[in-house]
PDB file of all heavy atoms in Angstrom:
ATOM      1  N   TYR X 229      -8.543  -2.446  -9.197  1.00 63.00           N
ATOM      2  CA  TYR X 229      -7.656  -2.536  -7.944  1.00 63.00           C
ATOM      3  C   TYR X 229      -6.358  -1.747  -8.335  1.00 63.00           C
ATOM      4  O   TYR X 229      -5.932  -1.013  -7.357  1.00 63.00           O
ATOM      5  CB  TYR X 229      -7.512  -4.043  -7.481  1.00 63.00           C
ATOM      6  CG  TYR X 229      -6.605  -4.121  -6.433  1.00 63.00           C
ATOM      7  CD1 TYR X 229      -6.993  -3.820  -5.003  1.00 63.00           C
ATOM      8  CD2 TYR X 229      -5.173  -4.462  -6.502  1.00 63.00           C
ATOM      9  CE1 TYR X 229      -6.124  -3.948  -3.918  1.00 63.00           C
ATOM     10  CE2 TYR X 229      -4.414  -4.578  -5.524  1.00 63.00           C
ATOM     11  CZ  TYR X 229      -4.822  -4.377  -4.275  1.00 63.00           C
ATOM     12  OH  TYR X 229      -3.987  -4.456  -3.125  1.00 63.00           O
ATOM     13  N   LEU X 230      -5.796  -2.175  -9.337  1.00 59.00           N
ATOM     14  CA  LEU X 230      -4.548  -1.522  -9.691  1.00 59.00           C
ATOM     15  C   LEU X 230      -4.494  -0.018  -9.993  1.00 59.00           C
ATOM     16  O   LEU X 230      -3.702   0.582  -9.303  1.00 59.00           O
ATOM     17  CB  LEU X 230      -3.801  -2.276 -10.956  1.00 59.00           C
ATOM     18  CG  LEU X 230      -2.586  -1.753 -11.497  1.00 59.00           C
ATOM     19  CD1 LEU X 230      -1.450  -2.006 -10.536  1.00 59.00           C
ATOM     20  CD2 LEU X 230      -2.274  -2.280 -12.849  1.00 59.00           C
ATOM     21  N   LEU X 231      -5.602   0.408 -10.492  1.00 59.00           N
ATOM     22  CA  LEU X 231      -5.776   1.801 -10.695  1.00 59.00           C
ATOM     23  C   LEU X 231      -5.951   2.648  -9.347  1.00 59.00           C
ATOM     24  O   LEU X 231      -5.457   3.635  -9.058  1.00 59.00           O
ATOM     25  CB  LEU X 231      -6.837   2.115 -11.651  1.00 59.00           C
ATOM     26  CG  LEU X 231      -6.628   1.814 -13.088  1.00 59.00           C
ATOM     27  CD1 LEU X 231      -7.936   2.017 -14.015  1.00 59.00           C
ATOM     28  CD2 LEU X 231      -5.542   2.584 -13.790  1.00 59.00           C
ATOM     29  N   LYS X 232      -6.728   1.940  -8.480  1.00 62.00           N
ATOM     30  CA  LYS X 232      -6.934   2.552  -7.255  1.00 62.00           C
ATOM     31  C   LYS X 232      -5.740   2.611  -6.313  1.00 62.00           C
ATOM     32  O   LYS X 232      -5.490   3.633  -5.516  1.00 62.00           O
ATOM     33  CB  LYS X 232      -8.007   1.765  -6.455  1.00 62.00           C
ATOM     34  CG  LYS X 232      -9.476   2.048  -6.921  1.00 62.00           C
ATOM     35  CD  LYS X 232     -10.391   1.275  -6.224  1.00 62.00           C
ATOM     36  CE  LYS X 232     -11.755   1.381  -6.810  1.00 62.00           C
ATOM     37  NZ  LYS X 232     -12.843   0.552  -6.067  1.00 62.00           N
ATOM     38  N   ASN X 233      -4.779   1.642  -6.569  1.00 63.00           N
ATOM     39  CA  ASN X 233      -3.610   1.581  -5.677  1.00 63.00           C
ATOM     40  C   ASN X 233      -2.331   1.870  -6.382  1.00 63.00           C
ATOM     41  O   ASN X 233      -1.275   1.725  -5.972  1.00 63.00           O
ATOM     42  CB  ASN X 233      -3.450   0.042  -5.168  1.00 63.00           C
ATOM     43  CG  ASN X 233      -4.525  -0.251  -4.201  1.00 63.00           C
ATOM     44  OD1 ASN X 233      -4.497   0.151  -3.139  1.00 63.00           O
ATOM     45  ND2 ASN X 233      -5.398  -1.123  -4.713  1.00 63.00           N
ATOM     46  N   LEU X 234      -2.516   2.502  -7.663  1.00 61.00           N
ATOM     47  CA  LEU X 234      -1.358   3.002  -8.443  1.00 61.00           C
ATOM     48  C   LEU X 234      -0.500   3.955  -7.633  1.00 61.00           C
ATOM     49  O   LEU X 234       0.707   3.851  -7.562  1.00 61.00           O
ATOM     50  CB  LEU X 234      -1.869   3.566  -9.783  1.00 61.00           C
ATOM     51  CG  LEU X 234      -0.765   3.843 -10.869  1.00 61.00           C
ATOM     52  CD1 LEU X 234       0.098   2.478 -11.068  1.00 61.00           C
ATOM     53  CD2 LEU X 234      -1.478   4.310 -11.991  1.00 61.00           C
ATOM     54  N   SER X 235      -1.189   4.857  -6.939  1.00 74.00           N
ATOM     55  CA  SER X 235      -0.548   5.843  -6.174  1.00 74.00           C
ATOM     56  C   SER X 235       0.396   5.238  -5.147  1.00 74.00           C
ATOM     57  O   SER X 235       1.582   5.677  -4.996  1.00 74.00           O
ATOM     58  CB  SER X 235      -1.432   6.906  -5.457  1.00 74.00           C
ATOM     59  OG  SER X 235      -0.846   7.767  -4.599  1.00 74.00           O
ATOM     60  N   TRP X 236      -0.114   4.288  -4.466  1.00 72.00           N
ATOM     61  CA  TRP X 236       0.661   3.605  -3.526  1.00 72.00           C
ATOM     62  C   TRP X 236       1.883   2.778  -4.085  1.00 72.00           C
ATOM     63  O   TRP X 236       2.946   2.838  -3.573  1.00 72.00           O
ATOM     64  CB  TRP X 236      -0.231   2.555  -2.728  1.00 72.00           C
ATOM     65  CG  TRP X 236       0.441   1.812  -1.740  1.00 72.00           C
ATOM     66  CD1 TRP X 236       0.758   2.120  -0.379  1.00 72.00           C
ATOM     67  CD2 TRP X 236       0.920   0.393  -1.886  1.00 72.00           C
ATOM     68  NE1 TRP X 236       1.387   1.147   0.163  1.00 72.00           N
ATOM     69  CE2 TRP X 236       1.452   0.078  -0.535  1.00 72.00           C
ATOM     70  CE3 TRP X 236       0.885  -0.542  -2.945  1.00 72.00           C
ATOM     71  CZ2 TRP X 236       2.043  -1.280  -0.477  1.00 72.00           C
ATOM     72  CZ3 TRP X 236       1.502  -1.798  -2.670  1.00 72.00           C
ATOM     73  CH2 TRP X 236       2.038  -2.016  -1.435  1.00 72.00           C
ATOM     74  N   ILE X 237       1.588   2.146  -5.267  1.00 72.00           N
ATOM     75  CA  ILE X 237       2.648   1.355  -6.028  1.00 72.00           C
ATOM     76  C   ILE X 237       3.701   2.364  -6.397  1.00 72.00           C
ATOM     77  O   ILE X 237       4.951   2.136  -6.209  1.00 72.00           O
ATOM     78  CB  ILE X 237       2.065   0.738  -7.106  1.00 72.00           C
ATOM     79  CG1 ILE X 237       1.089  -0.468  -6.676  1.00 72.00           C
ATOM     80  CG2 ILE X 237       3.130   0.159  -8.017  1.00 72.00           C
ATOM     81  CD1 ILE X 237       0.327  -1.043  -7.585  1.00 72.00           C
ATOM     82  N   ILE X 238       3.331   3.554  -6.967  1.00 80.00           N
ATOM     83  CA  ILE X 238       4.398   4.504  -7.438  1.00 80.00           C
ATOM     84  C   ILE X 238       5.186   4.972  -6.265  1.00 80.00           C
ATOM     85  O   ILE X 238       6.339   5.185  -6.326  1.00 80.00           O
ATOM     86  CB  ILE X 238       3.625   5.548  -8.128  1.00 80.00           C
ATOM     87  CG1 ILE X 238       3.125   5.138  -9.524  1.00 80.00           C
ATOM     88  CG2 ILE X 238       4.614   6.910  -8.384  1.00 80.00           C
ATOM     89  CD1 ILE X 238       2.153   6.121 -10.272  1.00 80.00           C
ATOM     90  N   LYS X 239       4.606   5.335  -5.162  1.00 81.00           N
ATOM     91  CA  LYS X 239       5.200   5.675  -3.937  1.00 81.00           C
ATOM     92  C   LYS X 239       6.265   4.679  -3.577  1.00 81.00           C
ATOM     93  O   LYS X 239       7.415   5.064  -3.202  1.00 81.00           O
ATOM     94  CB  LYS X 239       4.216   5.992  -2.803  1.00 81.00           C
ATOM     95  CG  LYS X 239       3.527   7.245  -2.894  1.00 81.00           C
ATOM     96  CD  LYS X 239       2.604   7.483  -1.646  1.00 81.00           C
ATOM     97  CE  LYS X 239       1.898   8.768  -1.826  1.00 81.00           C
ATOM     98  NZ  LYS X 239       1.105   9.035  -0.596  1.00 81.00           N
ATOM     99  N   LYS X 240       5.934   3.527  -3.538  1.00 83.00           N
ATOM    100  CA  LYS X 240       6.761   2.380  -3.157  1.00 83.00           C
ATOM    101  C   LYS X 240       8.040   2.271  -3.974  1.00 83.00           C
ATOM    102  O   LYS X 240       9.228   2.040  -3.634  1.00 83.00           O
ATOM    103  CB  LYS X 240       6.090   1.048  -3.185  1.00 83.00           C
ATOM    104  CG  LYS X 240       5.216   0.747  -1.984  1.00 83.00           C
ATOM    105  CD  LYS X 240       5.965   0.638  -0.743  1.00 83.00           C
ATOM    106  CE  LYS X 240       4.991   0.256   0.442  1.00 83.00           C
ATOM    107  NZ  LYS X 240       5.665   0.226   1.744  1.00 83.00           N
ATOM    108  N   VAL X 241       7.756   2.412  -5.380  1.00 83.00           N
ATOM    109  CA  VAL X 241       8.930   2.396  -6.347  1.00 83.00           C
ATOM    110  C   VAL X 241       9.832   3.542  -6.176  1.00 83.00           C
ATOM    111  O   VAL X 241      11.031   3.386  -6.235  1.00 83.00           O
ATOM    112  CB  VAL X 241       8.213   2.418  -7.807  1.00 83.00           C
ATOM    113  CG1 VAL X 241       9.406   2.585  -8.903  1.00 83.00           C
ATOM    114  CG2 VAL X 241       7.529   1.023  -8.091  1.00 83.00           C
ATOM    115  N   VAL X 242       9.154   4.790  -6.018  1.00 83.00           N
ATOM    116  CA  VAL X 242      10.044   6.027  -5.891  1.00 83.00           C
ATOM    117  C   VAL X 242      10.797   5.850  -4.543  1.00 83.00           C
ATOM    118  O   VAL X 242      12.090   6.092  -4.505  1.00 83.00           O
ATOM    119  CB  VAL X 242       9.186   7.204  -5.808  1.00 83.00           C
ATOM    120  CG1 VAL X 242       9.919   8.392  -5.367  1.00 83.00           C
ATOM    121  CG2 VAL X 242       8.607   7.458  -7.263  1.00 83.00           C
ATOM    122  N   LYS X 243      10.220   5.379  -3.433  1.00 85.00           N
ATOM    123  CA  LYS X 243      10.924   5.130  -2.214  1.00 85.00           C
ATOM    124  C   LYS X 243      12.040   4.216  -2.295  1.00 85.00           C
ATOM    125  O   LYS X 243      13.222   4.462  -1.885  1.00 85.00           O
ATOM    126  CB  LYS X 243       9.999   4.792  -1.011  1.00 85.00           C
ATOM    127  CG  LYS X 243      10.688   4.670   0.328  1.00 85.00           C
ATOM    128  CD  LYS X 243      11.046   6.100   0.668  1.00 85.00           C
ATOM    129  CE  LYS X 243      11.554   5.875   2.042  1.00 85.00           C
ATOM    130  NZ  LYS X 243      12.129   7.082   2.684  1.00 85.00           N
ATOM    131  N   HIS X 244      11.744   3.055  -3.009  1.00 86.00           N
ATOM    132  CA  HIS X 244      12.852   2.077  -3.276  1.00 86.00           C
ATOM    133  C   HIS X 244      13.949   2.661  -4.057  1.00 86.00           C
ATOM    134  O   HIS X 244      15.260   2.472  -3.689  1.00 86.00           O
ATOM    135  CB  HIS X 244      12.264   0.901  -4.013  1.00 86.00           C
ATOM    136  CG  HIS X 244      13.289  -0.122  -4.355  1.00 86.00           C
ATOM    137  ND1 HIS X 244      13.842  -0.932  -3.463  1.00 86.00           N
ATOM    138  CD2 HIS X 244      13.882  -0.478  -5.583  1.00 86.00           C
ATOM    139  CE1 HIS X 244      14.780  -1.774  -4.005  1.00 86.00           C
ATOM    140  NE2 HIS X 244      14.818  -1.533  -5.295  1.00 86.00           N
ATOM    141  N   MET X 245      13.719   3.483  -5.150  1.00 87.00           N
ATOM    142  CA  MET X 245      14.758   4.102  -5.915  1.00 87.00           C
ATOM    143  C   MET X 245      15.514   5.096  -4.960  1.00 87.00           C
ATOM    144  O   MET X 245      16.767   5.164  -5.093  1.00 87.00           O
ATOM    145  CB  MET X 245      14.211   4.773  -7.142  1.00 87.00           C
ATOM    146  CG  MET X 245      13.697   4.010  -8.197  1.00 87.00           C
ATOM    147  SD  MET X 245      12.881   4.855  -9.595  1.00 87.00           S
ATOM    148  CE  MET X 245      14.320   5.703 -10.225  1.00 87.00           C
ATOM    149  N   TYR X 246      14.829   5.739  -4.155  1.00 86.00           N
ATOM    150  CA  TYR X 246      15.503   6.848  -3.286  1.00 86.00           C
ATOM    151  C   TYR X 246      16.470   6.084  -2.357  1.00 86.00           C
ATOM    152  O   TYR X 246      17.492   6.667  -1.923  1.00 86.00           O
ATOM    153  CB  TYR X 246      14.428   7.637  -2.525  1.00 86.00           C
ATOM    154  CG  TYR X 246      15.056   8.739  -1.634  1.00 86.00           C
ATOM    155  CD1 TYR X 246      15.423   9.894  -2.148  1.00 86.00           C
ATOM    156  CD2 TYR X 246      15.205   8.508  -0.354  1.00 86.00           C
ATOM    157  CE1 TYR X 246      16.017  10.879  -1.488  1.00 86.00           C
ATOM    158  CE2 TYR X 246      15.722   9.535   0.512  1.00 86.00           C
ATOM    159  CZ  TYR X 246      16.112  10.688  -0.044  1.00 86.00           C
ATOM    160  OH  TYR X 246      16.681  11.684   0.657  1.00 86.00           O
ATOM    161  N   GLU X 247      16.147   4.921  -1.875  1.00 89.00           N
ATOM    162  CA  GLU X 247      16.944   4.202  -0.958  1.00 89.00           C
ATOM    163  C   GLU X 247      18.008   3.364  -1.607  1.00 89.00           C
ATOM    164  O   GLU X 247      18.721   2.527  -0.931  1.00 89.00           O
ATOM    165  CB  GLU X 247      16.116   3.435  -0.046  1.00 89.00           C
ATOM    166  CG  GLU X 247      15.265   4.386   0.980  1.00 89.00           C
ATOM    167  CD  GLU X 247      14.315   3.609   1.718  1.00 89.00           C
ATOM    168  OE1 GLU X 247      14.025   2.379   1.390  1.00 89.00           O
ATOM    169  OE2 GLU X 247      13.710   4.209   2.757  1.00 89.00           O
ATOM    170  N   SER X 248      18.116   3.343  -2.846  1.00 90.00           N
ATOM    171  CA  SER X 248      19.075   2.570  -3.642  1.00 90.00           C
ATOM    172  C   SER X 248      20.159   3.445  -4.261  1.00 90.00           C
ATOM    173  O   SER X 248      20.409   4.610  -3.937  1.00 90.00           O
ATOM    174  CB  SER X 248      18.306   1.905  -4.734  1.00 90.00           C
ATOM    175  OG  SER X 248      18.072   2.679  -5.880  1.00 90.00           O
ATOM    176  N   ASP X 249      21.051   2.718  -5.010  1.00 91.00           N
ATOM    177  CA  ASP X 249      22.035   3.324  -5.823  1.00 91.00           C
ATOM    178  C   ASP X 249      21.524   4.465  -6.833  1.00 91.00           C
ATOM    179  O   ASP X 249      22.313   5.239  -7.406  1.00 91.00           O
ATOM    180  CB  ASP X 249      22.899   2.325  -6.500  1.00 91.00           C
ATOM    181  CG  ASP X 249      23.689   1.498  -5.490  1.00 91.00           C
ATOM    182  OD1 ASP X 249      23.935   1.889  -4.411  1.00 91.00           O
ATOM    183  OD2 ASP X 249      24.156   0.439  -5.968  1.00 91.00           O
ATOM    184  N   TYR X 250      20.227   4.426  -7.018  1.00 88.00           N
ATOM    185  CA  TYR X 250      19.520   5.398  -7.994  1.00 88.00           C
ATOM    186  C   TYR X 250      19.216   6.720  -7.393  1.00 88.00           C
ATOM    187  O   TYR X 250      18.598   7.497  -8.044  1.00 88.00           O
ATOM    188  CB  TYR X 250      18.403   4.763  -8.742  1.00 88.00           C
ATOM    189  CG  TYR X 250      19.036   3.495  -9.558  1.00 88.00           C
ATOM    190  CD1 TYR X 250      18.654   2.216  -9.092  1.00 88.00           C
ATOM    191  CD2 TYR X 250      19.382   3.770 -10.822  1.00 88.00           C
ATOM    192  CE1 TYR X 250      19.151   1.182  -9.885  1.00 88.00           C
ATOM    193  CE2 TYR X 250      19.903   2.714 -11.638  1.00 88.00           C
ATOM    194  CZ  TYR X 250      19.735   1.346 -11.080  1.00 88.00           C
ATOM    195  OH  TYR X 250      19.988   0.283 -11.900  1.00 88.00           O
ATOM    196  N   LYS X 251      19.574   6.915  -6.113  1.00 90.00           N
ATOM    197  CA  LYS X 251      18.993   8.029  -5.490  1.00 90.00           C
ATOM    198  C   LYS X 251      19.565   9.381  -6.188  1.00 90.00           C
ATOM    199  O   LYS X 251      18.630  10.371  -6.316  1.00 90.00           O
ATOM    200  CB  LYS X 251      19.663   8.140  -4.031  1.00 90.00           C
ATOM    201  CG  LYS X 251      19.310   9.309  -3.211  1.00 90.00           C
ATOM    202  CD  LYS X 251      19.910   9.375  -1.859  1.00 90.00           C
ATOM    203  CE  LYS X 251      19.521  10.625  -0.995  1.00 90.00           C
ATOM    204  NZ  LYS X 251      19.965  10.444   0.357  1.00 90.00           N
ATOM    205  N   ILE X 252      20.792   9.395  -6.503  1.00 92.00           N
ATOM    206  CA  ILE X 252      21.292  10.657  -7.232  1.00 92.00           C
ATOM    207  C   ILE X 252      20.570  10.897  -8.597  1.00 92.00           C
ATOM    208  O   ILE X 252      20.133  11.957  -8.859  1.00 92.00           O
ATOM    209  CB  ILE X 252      22.716  10.600  -7.418  1.00 92.00           C
ATOM    210  CG1 ILE X 252      23.431  10.682  -6.087  1.00 92.00           C
ATOM    211  CG2 ILE X 252      23.244  11.721  -8.407  1.00 92.00           C
ATOM    212  CD1 ILE X 252      24.932  10.448  -6.103  1.00 92.00           C
ATOM    213  N   GLU X 253      20.292   9.754  -9.358  1.00 91.00           N
ATOM    214  CA  GLU X 253      19.519   9.890 -10.562  1.00 91.00           C
ATOM    215  C   GLU X 253      18.159  10.444 -10.356  1.00 91.00           C
ATOM    216  O   GLU X 253      17.587  11.280 -11.009  1.00 91.00           O
ATOM    217  CB  GLU X 253      19.526   8.579 -11.341  1.00 91.00           C
ATOM    218  CG  GLU X 253      20.891   8.286 -12.022  1.00 91.00           C
ATOM    219  CD  GLU X 253      21.819   7.671 -11.132  1.00 91.00           C
ATOM    220  OE1 GLU X 253      21.602   7.366 -10.061  1.00 91.00           O
ATOM    221  OE2 GLU X 253      23.107   7.609 -11.579  1.00 91.00           O
ATOM    222  N   LEU X 254      17.471   9.890  -9.365  1.00 88.00           N
ATOM    223  CA  LEU X 254      16.119  10.387  -8.947  1.00 88.00           C
ATOM    224  C   LEU X 254      16.082  11.727  -8.658  1.00 88.00           C
ATOM    225  O   LEU X 254      15.216  12.435  -9.040  1.00 88.00           O
ATOM    226  CB  LEU X 254      15.512   9.493  -7.762  1.00 88.00           C
ATOM    227  CG  LEU X 254      14.233   9.847  -7.267  1.00 88.00           C
ATOM    228  CD1 LEU X 254      13.141   9.685  -8.473  1.00 88.00           C
ATOM    229  CD2 LEU X 254      13.896   8.979  -5.982  1.00 88.00           C
ATOM    230  N   GLU X 255      17.080  12.206  -7.764  1.00 92.00           N
ATOM    231  CA  GLU X 255      17.117  13.600  -7.344  1.00 92.00           C
ATOM    232  C   GLU X 255      17.301  14.514  -8.587  1.00 92.00           C
ATOM    233  O   GLU X 255      16.812  15.606  -8.761  1.00 92.00           O
ATOM    234  CB  GLU X 255      18.272  13.850  -6.335  1.00 92.00           C
ATOM    235  CG  GLU X 255      17.795  13.333  -4.981  1.00 92.00           C
ATOM    236  CD  GLU X 255      18.929  13.356  -3.909  1.00 92.00           C
ATOM    237  OE1 GLU X 255      20.089  13.742  -4.276  1.00 92.00           O
ATOM    238  OE2 GLU X 255      18.596  13.147  -2.647  1.00 92.00           O
ATOM    239  N   LYS X 256      18.181  14.173  -9.490  1.00 92.00           N
ATOM    240  CA  LYS X 256      18.523  14.798 -10.740  1.00 92.00           C
ATOM    241  C   LYS X 256      17.232  14.955 -11.586  1.00 92.00           C
ATOM    242  O   LYS X 256      16.951  16.036 -12.182  1.00 92.00           O
ATOM    243  CB  LYS X 256      19.602  14.280 -11.542  1.00 92.00           C
ATOM    244  CG  LYS X 256      20.946  14.413 -10.990  1.00 92.00           C
ATOM    245  CD  LYS X 256      21.976  13.800 -11.922  1.00 92.00           C
ATOM    246  CE  LYS X 256      23.377  13.846 -11.272  1.00 92.00           C
ATOM    247  NZ  LYS X 256      24.444  13.075 -12.191  1.00 92.00           N
ATOM    248  N   HIS X 257      16.550  13.918 -11.738  1.00 90.00           N
ATOM    249  CA  HIS X 257      15.300  13.886 -12.536  1.00 90.00           C
ATOM    250  C   HIS X 257      14.268  14.700 -11.817  1.00 90.00           C
ATOM    251  O   HIS X 257      13.554  15.512 -12.496  1.00 90.00           O
ATOM    252  CB  HIS X 257      14.746  12.360 -12.529  1.00 90.00           C
ATOM    253  CG  HIS X 257      13.554  12.279 -13.364  1.00 90.00           C
ATOM    254  ND1 HIS X 257      13.594  12.309 -14.800  1.00 90.00           N
ATOM    255  CD2 HIS X 257      12.245  12.026 -13.050  1.00 90.00           C
ATOM    256  CE1 HIS X 257      12.349  12.175 -15.234  1.00 90.00           C
ATOM    257  NE2 HIS X 257      11.663  11.997 -14.263  1.00 90.00           N
ATOM    258  N   ILE X 258      14.100  14.716 -10.472  1.00 90.00           N
ATOM    259  CA  ILE X 258      13.145  15.565  -9.804  1.00 90.00           C
ATOM    260  C   ILE X 258      13.602  17.067 -10.132  1.00 90.00           C
ATOM    261  O   ILE X 258      12.748  18.021 -10.350  1.00 90.00           O
ATOM    262  CB  ILE X 258      12.986  15.195  -8.380  1.00 90.00           C
ATOM    263  CG1 ILE X 258      12.457  13.932  -8.048  1.00 90.00           C
ATOM    264  CG2 ILE X 258      12.374  16.347  -7.469  1.00 90.00           C
ATOM    265  CD1 ILE X 258      12.543  13.354  -6.756  1.00 90.00           C
ATOM    266  N   PHE X 259      14.938  17.364  -9.982  1.00 93.00           N
ATOM    267  CA  PHE X 259      15.428  18.764 -10.217  1.00 93.00           C
ATOM    268  C   PHE X 259      15.079  19.167 -11.709  1.00 93.00           C
ATOM    269  O   PHE X 259      14.603  20.368 -11.891  1.00 93.00           O
ATOM    270  CB  PHE X 259      16.799  18.780  -9.931  1.00 93.00           C
ATOM    271  CG  PHE X 259      17.399  20.208  -9.914  1.00 93.00           C
ATOM    272  CD1 PHE X 259      17.170  21.018  -8.870  1.00 93.00           C
ATOM    273  CD2 PHE X 259      18.084  20.662 -10.964  1.00 93.00           C
ATOM    274  CE1 PHE X 259      17.678  22.392  -8.921  1.00 93.00           C
ATOM    275  CE2 PHE X 259      18.719  21.929 -10.988  1.00 93.00           C
ATOM    276  CZ  PHE X 259      18.397  22.740  -9.914  1.00 93.00           C
ATOM    277  N   SER X 260      15.268  18.275 -12.565  1.00 93.00           N
ATOM    278  CA  SER X 260      15.082  18.600 -14.017  1.00 93.00           C
ATOM    279  C   SER X 260      13.517  18.856 -14.244  1.00 93.00           C
ATOM    280  O   SER X 260      13.150  19.899 -14.819  1.00 93.00           O
ATOM    281  CB  SER X 260      15.579  17.405 -14.880  1.00 93.00           C
ATOM    282  OG  SER X 260      15.231  17.567 -16.379  1.00 93.00           O
ATOM    283  N   ILE X 261      12.636  18.002 -13.806  1.00 91.00           N
ATOM    284  CA  ILE X 261      11.147  18.115 -14.019  1.00 91.00           C
ATOM    285  C   ILE X 261      10.736  19.434 -13.354  1.00 91.00           C
ATOM    286  O   ILE X 261       9.986  20.274 -13.688  1.00 91.00           O
ATOM    287  CB  ILE X 261      10.478  16.981 -13.500  1.00 91.00           C
ATOM    288  CG1 ILE X 261      10.660  15.840 -14.462  1.00 91.00           C
ATOM    289  CG2 ILE X 261       8.879  17.262 -13.336  1.00 91.00           C
ATOM    290  CD1 ILE X 261      10.088  14.500 -13.948  1.00 91.00           C
ATOM    291  N   SER X 262      11.252  19.770 -12.046  1.00 90.00           N
ATOM    292  CA  SER X 262      10.886  20.970 -11.330  1.00 90.00           C
ATOM    293  C   SER X 262      11.318  22.140 -12.229  1.00 90.00           C
ATOM    294  O   SER X 262      10.528  23.169 -12.191  1.00 90.00           O
ATOM    295  CB  SER X 262      11.643  20.964  -9.919  1.00 90.00           C
ATOM    296  OG  SER X 262      11.131  19.902  -9.101  1.00 90.00           O
ATOM    297  N   GLY X 263      12.488  22.073 -12.817  1.00 92.00           N
ATOM    298  CA  GLY X 263      12.878  23.195 -13.567  1.00 92.00           C
ATOM    299  C   GLY X 263      12.012  23.495 -14.867  1.00 92.00           C
ATOM    300  O   GLY X 263      11.752  24.581 -15.170  1.00 92.00           O
ATOM    301  N   GLU X 264      11.679  22.418 -15.435  1.00 93.00           N
ATOM    302  CA  GLU X 264      10.706  22.461 -16.572  1.00 93.00           C
ATOM    303  C   GLU X 264       9.366  23.220 -16.088  1.00 93.00           C
ATOM    304  O   GLU X 264       8.934  24.164 -16.845  1.00 93.00           O
ATOM    305  CB  GLU X 264      10.430  21.102 -17.197  1.00 93.00           C
ATOM    306  CG  GLU X 264      11.372  20.571 -18.136  1.00 93.00           C
ATOM    307  CD  GLU X 264      10.915  19.215 -18.690  1.00 93.00           C
ATOM    308  OE1 GLU X 264       9.821  19.258 -19.211  1.00 93.00           O
ATOM    309  OE2 GLU X 264      11.752  18.328 -18.497  1.00 93.00           O
ATOM    310  N   ILE X 265       8.875  22.672 -15.104  1.00 92.00           N
ATOM    311  CA  ILE X 265       7.627  23.347 -14.529  1.00 92.00           C
ATOM    312  C   ILE X 265       7.790  24.691 -14.162  1.00 92.00           C
ATOM    313  O   ILE X 265       6.906  25.610 -14.599  1.00 92.00           O
ATOM    314  CB  ILE X 265       7.131  22.516 -13.348  1.00 92.00           C
ATOM    315  CG1 ILE X 265       6.758  21.042 -13.717  1.00 92.00           C
ATOM    316  CG2 ILE X 265       6.050  23.151 -12.626  1.00 92.00           C
ATOM    317  CD1 ILE X 265       6.595  20.093 -12.548  1.00 92.00           C
ATOM    318  N   MET X 266       8.791  25.022 -13.512  1.00 92.00           N
ATOM    319  CA  MET X 266       9.041  26.511 -13.037  1.00 92.00           C
ATOM    320  C   MET X 266       9.399  27.423 -14.155  1.00 92.00           C
ATOM    321  O   MET X 266       8.774  28.562 -14.256  1.00 92.00           O
ATOM    322  CB  MET X 266       9.894  26.545 -11.985  1.00 92.00           C
ATOM    323  CG  MET X 266       9.451  25.928 -10.595  1.00 92.00           C
ATOM    324  SD  MET X 266       7.813  26.217 -10.102  1.00 92.00           S
ATOM    325  CE  MET X 266       7.850  28.068 -10.047  1.00 92.00           C
ATOM    326  N   ARG X 267      10.113  26.971 -15.112  1.00 94.00           N
ATOM    327  CA  ARG X 267      10.417  27.867 -16.253  1.00 94.00           C
ATOM    328  C   ARG X 267       9.229  28.127 -17.095  1.00 94.00           C
ATOM    329  O   ARG X 267       8.995  29.342 -17.513  1.00 94.00           O
ATOM    330  CB  ARG X 267      11.630  27.194 -17.145  1.00 94.00           C
ATOM    331  CG  ARG X 267      12.897  27.315 -16.612  1.00 94.00           C
ATOM    332  CD  ARG X 267      13.989  26.813 -17.527  1.00 94.00           C
ATOM    333  NE  ARG X 267      13.886  25.413 -17.801  1.00 94.00           N
ATOM    334  CZ  ARG X 267      14.364  24.455 -17.075  1.00 94.00           C
ATOM    335  NH1 ARG X 267      15.012  24.783 -16.008  1.00 94.00           N
ATOM    336  NH2 ARG X 267      14.375  23.188 -17.438  1.00 94.00           N
ATOM    337  N   LYS X 268       8.378  27.121 -17.411  1.00 93.00           N
ATOM    338  CA  LYS X 268       7.151  27.400 -18.137  1.00 93.00           C
ATOM    339  C   LYS X 268       6.312  28.279 -17.329  1.00 93.00           C
ATOM    340  O   LYS X 268       5.628  29.204 -17.930  1.00 93.00           O
ATOM    341  CB  LYS X 268       6.516  26.043 -18.482  1.00 93.00           C
ATOM    342  CG  LYS X 268       7.168  25.233 -19.418  1.00 93.00           C
ATOM    343  CD  LYS X 268       6.470  23.913 -19.734  1.00 93.00           C
ATOM    344  CE  LYS X 268       7.136  23.055 -20.739  1.00 93.00           C
ATOM    345  NZ  LYS X 268       6.587  21.785 -20.885  1.00 93.00           N
TER     346      LYS X 268
END
């Protein structure tokens, strides 16, 4: 059940972070990971 719903759980965690004081850190992390992917 957990594995099947992991995507949903991750989405909830990410959305919660986005709507919290961690929004800037989340955006920086997304920017950093996007950079790694695109540079490679």
Side-chain angles (χ1 to χ4, degrees):
Y229 174 82
L230 179 61
L231 291 174
K232 287 179 184 176
N233 291 288
L234 192 57
S235 171
W236 178 81
I237 293 167
I238 290 171
K239 284 181 179 181
K240 288 286 186 187
V241 169
V242 169
K243 184 65 175 179
H244 177 73
M245 287 178 68
Y246 182 77
E247 293 173 343
S248 75
D249 292 339
Y250 295 102
K251 178 180 180 177
I252 292 172
E253 284 80 10
L254 178 63
E255 289 176 348
K256 286 179 183 177
H257 185 67
I258 290 171
F259 189 74
S260 175
I261 289 175
S262 297
E264 280 183 50
I265 291 167
M266 293 316 307
R267 281 189 296 276
K268 286 178 183 176

